Amino acid sequence: MLVYGRNVASELLLNNKNLVKKIYLQDGFDDKELISLIDKSNISYKFITKNDMNRLANGVHQGIILDVLDYKYYDLNDISLDDNFIVMLDHIEDSHNFGAIIRTCVAAGVQYIIIPKDRSVSVNSTVFKTSAGLVLKSKIIEVSNLSNAIRFLKEKGFWIYSSAMDGESYFNTDFSDKCCLVIGNEGKGVSSLIRKNSDFIISIPIKSSVDSLNASVAAGILIYGVVRNRG
């Protein structure tokens, strides 16, 4: 998998250089700090033209592209008894939203994020860049069936809180017990089956002139709502 951007490169070279197979630099690349990290890493690198860089990358590469091992997903069984706050994404499709949610989770101390295998964004180059490489500090669990994952979590003592426009205000919600927060798809929201399997439906109070919030914005508000409620 090809990932790119200076923040991504810095995170990889400082903390996960074992994942990097090769590095491509644009002719004239002069970030002395990154070049020093590359030299210390003993990872092979190659200077190529701007046009070649643009052909390799699907976005703004900032002059550096890294060929890395594919992301290794975690399993539900990796969740320990000490984990008490998990985020589940119900078929999020936009890589930028996913990356932004990952950054918020890492900042808030949420380790595990559960996503479905089908009809959902996976960890890709855009997710790496949008998360500023922090996807490597998060534990993404990919499952075949979200409803089965919810049953698994309930058996572990988790309460399931799904976000929706018609829910109870999160201001009035107690998140003190083990919590799984579900964020829905950008267009359709949380699916009817996931709603049915949830213990609580919560919402963010908004003015009537606003239809909805961006998925990553809503996730950020609710994640920190949970963190604040726990003190």
Side-chain angles (χ1 to χ4, degrees), residues 29-189:
F29 185 81
D30 61 355
D31 188 316
K32 293 180 175 58
E33 184 175 343
L34 276 178
I35 290 174
S36 176
L37 286 175
I38 293 169
D39 288 336
K40 291 175 183 177
S41 71
N42 294 318
I43 299 168
S44 64
Y45 62 94
K46 180 181 180 181
F47 283 96
I48 61 177
T49 67
K50 182 178 181 179
N51 286 339
D52 287 337
M53 293 287 286
N54 291 340
R55 278 193 286 268
L56 287 175
N58 292 319
V60 180
H61 49 72
Q62 299 178 308
I64 184 166
I65 299 173
L66 304 95
D67 185 5
V68 302
L69 299 174
D70 287 343
Y71 181 83
K72 185 178 179 180
Y73 293 95
Y74 289 77
D75 187 84
L76 285 171
N77 291 312
D78 292 319
I79 299 171
S80 72
L81 294 175
D82 295 330
D83 294 305
N84 55 28
F85 182 17
I86 290 172
V87 169
M88 177 181 288
L89 306 182
D90 185 0
H91 296 90
I92 291 290
E93 297 176 338
D94 186 274
S95 297
H96 294 88
N97 279 334
F98 189 19
I101 291 170
I102 289 170
R103 289 185 72 171
T104 300
C105 284
V106 173
V110 179
Q111 287 198 70
Y112 289 98
I113 303 173
I114 300 174
I115 64 172
K117 288 183 179 179
D118 299 325
R119 295 177 291 110
S120 172
V121 65
S122 57
V123 176
N124 58 31
S125 57
T126 303
V127 171
F128 260 88
K129 191 166 192 306
T130 309
S131 72
L134 292 178
V135 64
L136 297 171
K137 293 184 179 295
S138 186
K139 298 177 180 178
I140 314 296
I141 298 172
E142 196 176 54
V143 298
S144 298
N145 187 290
L146 290 180
S147 294
N148 288 343
I150 285 176
R151 281 192 285 273
F152 175 91
L153 292 175
K154 286 187 174 184
E155 290 172 0
K156 298 293 183 181
F158 282 85
W159 295 89
I160 312 301
Y161 300 79
S162 285
S163 58
M165 294 289 291
D166 59 346
E168 175 75 15
S169 170
Y170 82 98
F171 293 162
N172 306 320
T173 305
D174 181 9
F175 299 104
S176 57
D177 291 323
K178 298 180 81 168
C179 165
C180 173
L181 174 65
V182 183
I183 305 298
N185 171 271
E186 292 90 345
K188 300 176 182 177

Side-chain angles (χ1 to χ4, degrees), residues 18 62 89 204 206 209 211:
N18 59 305
Q62 299 178 308
L89 306 182
I204 300 168
I206 60 176
S209 58
D211 292 334

Side-chain angles (χ1 to χ4, degrees), residues 10-22:
S10 180
E11 177 63 35
L12 280 162
L13 293 170
L14 285 170
N15 301 307
N16 297 92
K17 63 181 181 180
N18 59 305
L19 300 178
V20 182
K21 297 185 289 184
K22 189 172 182 178

